[in-house]
Amino acid sequence: MGGDAGERPRKGSTTFTYQTGRQYKLAFGVDRRSDQINSVHVPTGAPSDIGNSSPSQCPSELSREEYLQVLELAKMTVTPKISINDGNLVVHGKTILSGVPGHIVLTPGSGVGLVAGAFIGATASHSKSLHVFSVGVLEDVRFMCLFRFKLWWMTQRMGTCGKDIPFETQFLLVESKDTSDGLVEDAPTIYTVFLPVLEGPFRAALQGNEKNELEICLESGDNAVETEQGNHLVYMHAGTNPFKVINQAVKAVEKHLQTFHHREKKKLPSFVDWFGWCTWDAFYTDVTAEGVEQGLKSLSEGGVPARFLIIDDGWQQIGSDIKQDPNTVVQEGAQFANRLTSIKENSKFQKNGSTNEQESGLKDLVKDAKSHHNVKFIYVWHALAGYWGGVQPAGPGMEHYDSALAYPVSSPGVLGNQPDIVMDSLAVHGLGLVHPKKVFNFYNELHAYLASCGVDGVKVDVQNIIETLGAGHGGRVSLTRSYVQGLEASISRNFADNGCIACMCHNTDGLYSARQTAVVRASDDFYPRDPASHTIHISSVAYNTVFLGEFMQPDWDMFHSLHPAADYHAAARAVGGCAIYVSDKPGHHNFELLKKLVLPDGSILRAQLPGRPTVDCLFADPARDGISLLKIWNVNKCSGIVGVFNCQGAGWCKVAKKTRIHDASPGTLTGSVKASNVDVISEIAGSDWNGDVAVYGYRSKEVITLPKGASLPVTLQVLEYELFHICPLKKITASISFAAIGLLDMFNSSGAIEHIEIEKPEQEAAAIITLKVRGCGRFGAYCSQKPLKCIVGKSETDFEYEAETGLVSLGIPVPEEEMFKWVIEIHV
């Protein structure tokens, strides 16, 4: 025996010589009462099979039996939950991929104890700028993936095998069972996320092939930038809660890459809490200063003032070198070849059409909007390259940006999905690309000018064009990162509130390079005249947010308040946790609808998190399967909310390579809602919650109590919705239960509740429930017995009580102050 056991300290260490001859120091702990070694710490980087071999030599400080015990504990400590065994990729005991080739290498993620994550790497025989590596065969699973169906945007796809995975997949979530203990029945469901990431100047994406193999497409976007291997191409992470798995995975990649920040670390611009108006669908590029004034005036006069304004495309000075032949038809998409010719506004926004550089019409417009219409935040649009066609090379006053014509080249994966008219145009006419070393100067001069006019931020569009221009600039990742870093540095310098909305930017080149940008457009546009687009829009944003919401707060885009699908879009934004803004033409508004979203001071009741599909919807296909409703969950400060939508009938078609209606008359569907659909409801409810809830249906206006685990049926036709507010019941006494609901006529009713406090005085009432509430109008709460009295502010107020449902309702007046919080007391 290596020493007197009675003298052994509580802690110790020993050295293990691995098969390669490399030595590792293993620290161990000793239980003093039993004198047994009970824990081992394995250093980071130790091989996962460190405990599999007999020791080549036993150190003097331990007996052979003790040393074997240390190795066994070490083996248990580093046994990965993700491993390659006999050519199978195994996650929690379940084979996810079979036939894993020898060129695939698995590297454990950093962490202590049982490792939940690992990186997939691959090696090729020669160095190239583009590789496709087979990772193994994927079959007999359920998965949800997010892929770029066109250059700019992602959407969802569900499937069961490798060939169902499209080109340009940037996120893959696989469902399996934990069979590591040999038990199949009652085994927990395991969710494994695959995140293709960036390595140096290379970017990885996933795809499938006809042999059901999962493949990694690795590319630099520059033929001069080559490699023969990548060690950290795809990060995998597994666990029993899909939202936590995804959150932990993105944070693990954040730690590994150190090139971007998670959403939780970013400053969210203040505009997201105020109602807005965007000029795009109202005017398109024909927007004028007069049109902006008309739009703001029209909304103010209707009692729904815009406190946030986006002046979209149409304000800049642009030009084109295209020479039109009078005898030929204008080429479709030629407008996208227009280039920026000045950082200042065009004549439509200058005073009386003046071109006097000393007089800024934009400054006057901003001043008038803020002083006459009380607009708080004004953003203007520009493309990441300046304009769709970039910046005019050697344009007067623009020479110092060193802009040069570049011709975009799409990656094979993008070409394999939907063709794009913008790319077709720019491939012919070229784009004026500001030199990456001058791009900060360009943004800084543009943004400094805008800030001098009183502008608060920018909507930066057409971002993914930069990935197609990497040749000669070190590749797509290097060029994108130069542009994103320059943009964010300029925004930090010029816009104090982190004023930026990222748009047309669904590529990982940019997402994994954004340290600061906190708001991202989460899907393709709202298309008011495309009937196929409305259900697609809701489902795409919800699923895209599963991934995008880890990086930034999703922006659901503008919509029209006067539109056949207006309430459908409004309800989705109420549960989305996003900014709410419309693009109505002046005079074309549904104020009744808008007042269910917007309070009289112009603020909104915004949910707290990015709205995402519920767990039971993650692998269903509510746009295409003909049987599933889409459920989106979110939380307010004191409650949960579940929006239910019938989104069936349309989707992106891989054959036609475009979105289309595939079922012209989808049927009525029935589903169910329960409290646990809100993933973090127990955290909202508090440790003393027993699982019971009061549920308020926004459309039905019904209040129903549900015991723990019970569900509520819901039946919807296509383009119908319901919003369920899940309000935890608080046990006041043995016979009294209470739940705050909120403003009964607002889409996000429970978003009005800011705080709940229960006091149990010695006299009079059994309890006094004090609420802090924003807004005005009909306020509701559930109480199992009629309250003694209700007080709003400092005045006792009349209230109604429905004994059969327990609904307490009362009126709250319009407050005089912005963002005012009423104090409401309910005595029971």
Side-chain angles (χ1 to χ4, degrees):
M1 186 167 182
D4 186 342
E7 297 175 359
R8 188 159 59 223
R10 185 168 288 183
K11 294 181 180 178
S13 64
T14 187
T15 301
F16 171 66
T17 305
Y18 189 56
Q19 294 158 325
T20 59
R22 184 169 177 180
Q23 292 188 326
Y24 294 91
K25 189 174 183 180
L26 306 179
F28 59 83
V30 178
D31 184 319
R32 185 164 286 172
R33 283 178 294 184
S34 66
D35 198 38
Q36 294 293 310
I37 296 168
N38 64 359
S39 64
V40 170
H41 175 72
V42 180
T44 301
S48 60
D49 61 347
I50 192 168
N52 285 353
S53 305
S54 297
S56 56
Q57 99 184 55
C58 180
S60 59
E61 65 267 22
L62 294 175
S63 69
R64 182 173 180 80
E65 291 75 18
E66 290 168 334
Y67 194 38
L68 289 172
Q69 186 183 1
V70 168
L71 292 182
E72 184 61 24
L73 285 168
K75 179 181 177 181
M76 291 171 63
T77 302
V78 298
T79 298
K81 292 293 187 180
I82 301 172
S83 61
I84 295 176
N85 300 328
D86 300 324
N88 295 322
L89 180 66
V90 178
V91 178
H92 288 250
K94 172 74 173 178
T95 295
I96 302 296
L97 298 175
S98 60
V100 176
H103 62 249
I104 295 297
V105 179
L106 205 62
T107 304
S110 60
V112 178
L114 292 172
V115 177
F119 284 96
I120 299 174
T123 304
S125 54
H126 337 24
S127 191
K128 295 191 296 184
S129 62
L130 187 150
H131 294 274
V132 176
F133 297 107
S134 171
V135 186
V137 176
L138 179 73
E139 292 177 324
D140 302 322
V141 296
R142 291 204 305 170
F143 73 76
M144 183 273 285
C145 70
L146 300 172
F147 73 103
R148 286 197 296 166
F149 68 98
K150 60 170 105 168
L151 176 64
W152 324 104
W153 305 112
M154 294 191 298
T155 194
Q156 76 278 10
R157 171 72 57 81
M158 288 71 176
T160 60
C161 58
K163 67 182 179 184
D164 295 336
I165 299 174
F167 294 126
E168 281 296 309
T169 290
Q170 301 186 122
F171 171 94
L172 173 65
L173 185 68
V174 176
E175 179 190 58
S176 63
K177 290 287 187 180
D178 186 342
T179 56
S180 56
D181 58 3
L183 299 175
V184 177
E185 289 187 24
D186 300 323
T189 300
I190 299 298
Y191 301 92
T192 304
V193 65
F194 293 75
L195 299 179
V197 295
L198 312 178
E199 185 164 53
F202 284 82
R203 177 250 189 191
L206 299 173
Q207 60 193 41
N209 65 28
E210 287 301 311
K211 295 184 286 186
N212 279 337
E213 291 173 331
L214 175 67
E215 296 177 332
I216 300 172
C217 179
L218 182 69
E219 59 185 316
S220 69
D222 185 338
N223 290 336
V225 178
E226 299 184 340
T227 189
E228 73 281 351
Q229 67 174 16
N231 296 319
H232 301 86
L233 303 182
V234 177
Y235 181 68
M236 296 175 60
H237 203 88
T240 56
N241 181 305
F243 303 112
K244 288 181 180 177
V245 165
I246 295 161
N247 179 269
Q248 291 165 1
V250 172
K251 287 178 177 177
V253 175
E254 176 191 20
K255 181 179 178 182
H256 169 72
L257 290 178
Q258 298 188 8
T259 55
F260 74 100
H261 286 315
H262 190 274
R263 170 182 55 82
E264 294 164 9
K265 293 182 180 177
K266 296 177 177 178
K267 175 179 171 54
L268 192 60
S270 303
F271 79 83
V272 297
D273 290 312
W274 298 89
F275 173 63
W277 178 63
C278 177
T279 62
W280 180 243
D281 282 320
F283 297 109
Y284 299 110
T285 54
D286 294 329
V287 61
T288 63
E290 293 75 23
V292 172
E293 164 66 22
Q294 290 167 12
L296 294 174
K297 181 181 179 183
S298 182
L299 286 165
S300 293
E301 289 176 347
V304 187
R307 298 290 184 242
F308 163 52
L309 166 67
I310 300 176
I311 302 173
D312 214 292
D313 187 4
W315 70 273
Q316 293 167 294
Q317 293 185 41
I318 57 172
S320 172
D321 290 339
I322 299 174
K323 302 292 190 291
Q324 292 295 340
D325 184 337
N327 299 316
T328 62
V329 177
V330 175
Q331 180 197 343
E332 187 182 14
Q335 69 271 23
F336 295 116
N338 281 320
R339 301 184 194 122
L340 195 66
T341 58
S342 170
I343 63 171
K344 297 187 176 181
E345 68 274 23
N346 60 37
S347 59
K348 294 183 296 176
F349 286 84
Q350 289 162 353
K351 290 182 177 178
N352 302 317
S354 166
T355 56
N356 186 337
E357 292 289 321
Q358 303 304 312
E359 299 180 19
S360 172
L362 181 61
K363 186 172 184 176
D364 280 355
L365 173 64
V366 169
K367 182 180 176 183
D368 289 348
K370 291 186 174 183
S371 60
H372 296 163
H373 298 289
N374 200 18
V375 176
K376 294 177 178 293
F377 306 100
I378 297 179
Y379 282 39
V380 301
W381 179 98
H382 71 78
L384 189 60
Y387 198 69
W388 292 88
V391 172
Q392 182 66 29
M398 310 281 274
E399 302 91 343
H400 57 297
Y401 301 137
D402 289 351
S403 174
L405 277 186
Y407 294 84
V409 178
S410 283
S411 66
V414 170
L415 289 172
N417 289 332
Q418 183 167 325
D420 190 83
I421 189 173
V422 179
M423 282 295 295
D424 293 344
S425 176
L426 295 177
V428 172
H429 302 294
L431 178 145
L433 184 69
V434 172
H435 193 281
K437 290 185 177 177
K438 299 296 180 68
V439 76
F440 168 73
N441 292 340
F442 166 62
Y443 291 138
N444 186 48
E445 290 176 22
L446 170 61
H447 296 160
Y449 173 70
L450 293 173
S452 75
C453 295
V455 170
D456 302 285
V458 284
K459 173 183 172 182
V460 185
D461 211 349
V462 206
Q463 295 203 16
N464 286 0
I465 195 66
I466 300 301
E467 75 172 55
T468 69
L469 302 165
H473 296 286
R476 54 186 290 169
V477 174
S478 300
L479 186 62
T480 299
R481 189 158 291 156
S482 294
Y483 267 71
V484 171
Q485 287 175 348
L487 176 71
E488 292 192 331
S490 175
I491 285 166
S492 180
R493 175 179 287 194
N494 293 290
F495 303 124
D497 196 37
N498 195 23
C500 182
I501 302 169
C503 193
M504 297 176 76
C505 60
H506 289 188
N507 68 4
T508 46
D509 312 54
L511 290 173
Y512 288 127
S513 298
R515 295 180 182 273
Q516 180 180 304
T517 308
V519 179
V520 59
R521 265 282 307 283
S523 84
D524 201 350
D525 294 9
F526 165 77
Y527 292 109
R529 288 175 291 280
D530 180 2
S533 72
H534 303 296
T535 54
I536 290 172
H537 187 93
I538 305 309
S539 61
S540 289
V541 175
Y543 284 96
N544 286 346
T545 297
V546 172
F547 180 47
L548 293 176
E550 299 299 325
F551 299 86
M552 305 174 197
Q553 196 74 16
D555 180 308
W556 285 62
D557 198 17
M558 63 200 89
F559 70 104
H560 282 177
S561 70
L562 197 60
H563 188 277
D567 57 344
Y568 189 74
H569 282 280
R573 284 151 182 80
V575 76
C578 56
I580 295 176
Y581 55 105
V582 295
S583 193
D584 296 347
K585 289 186 177 181
H588 293 72
H589 313 287
N590 181 343
F591 289 114
E592 183 183 356
L593 175 82
L594 290 175
K595 287 175 182 178
K596 297 173 184 178
L597 287 168
V598 187
L599 298 175
D601 64 0
S603 67
I604 64 170
L605 301 175
R606 187 174 63 84
Q608 300 285 293
L609 298 174
R612 289 160 286 180
T614 57
V615 171
D616 54 351
C617 286
L618 284 175
F619 304 100
D621 191 352
R624 273 179 279 249
D625 67 9
I627 57 173
S628 302
L629 294 172
L630 172 63
K631 295 187 290 184
I632 302 172
W633 71 274
N634 210 322
V635 295
N636 293 306
K637 289 182 178 177
C638 302
S639 63
I641 177 172
V642 177
V644 189
F645 301 85
N646 188 330
C647 296
Q648 295 288 344
W652 189 82
C653 177
K654 63 183 178 181
V655 177
K657 298 190 184 301
K658 63 179 182 179
T659 55
R660 69 177 186 88
I661 294 173
H662 55 261
D663 184 351
S665 54
T668 299
L669 299 178
T670 297
S672 64
V673 169
K674 54 187 176 181
S676 60
N677 287 152
V678 178
D679 186 66
V680 295
I681 189 66
S682 58
E683 296 172 28
I684 297 294
S687 58
D688 58 346
W689 179 54
N690 68 0
D692 298 345
V693 294
V695 180
Y696 174 66
Y698 165 75
R699 286 183 67 203
S700 70
K701 305 302 181 192
E702 292 179 347
V703 177
I704 296 171
T705 55
L706 289 180
K708 183 177 181 178
S711 60
L712 188 64
V714 54
T715 299
L716 299 172
Q717 296 178 14
V718 70
L719 283 173
E720 282 191 337
Y721 71 93
E722 179 61 286
L723 297 173
F724 293 99
H725 295 272
I726 313 291
C727 308
L729 277 172
K730 296 183 179 293
K731 204 79 171 169
I732 308 297
T733 69
S735 60
I736 302 175
S737 295
F738 176 87
I741 295 171
L743 294 177
L744 300 176
D745 297 320
M746 300 294 287
F747 281 98
N748 188 12
S749 310
S750 58
I753 310 290
E754 294 277 330
H755 184 71
I756 302 174
E757 195 171 301
I758 300 170
E759 179 189 356
K760 296 184 178 179
E762 295 180 1
Q763 299 174 341
E764 297 180 9
I768 299 173
I769 301 150
T770 303
L771 308 169
K772 290 185 179 177
V773 179
R774 277 186 56 222
C776 57
R778 284 201 314 140
F779 173 83
Y782 167 85
C783 194
S784 58
Q785 74 176 40
K786 184 177 180 179
L788 302 175
K789 63 179 176 180
C790 297
I791 298 171
V792 177
K794 296 181 179 178
S795 304
E796 186 171 343
T797 187
D798 294 336
F799 66 91
E800 295 180 4
Y801 182 71
E802 297 177 6
E804 61 275 19
T805 64
L807 178 64
V808 181
S809 58
L810 52 89
I812 302 177
V814 177
E816 295 181 4
E817 300 174 29
E818 287 184 347
M819 289 285 187
F820 183 77
K821 296 174 187 175
W822 290 102
V823 175
I824 298 177
E825 288 184 5
I826 298 177
H827 295 235
V828 297

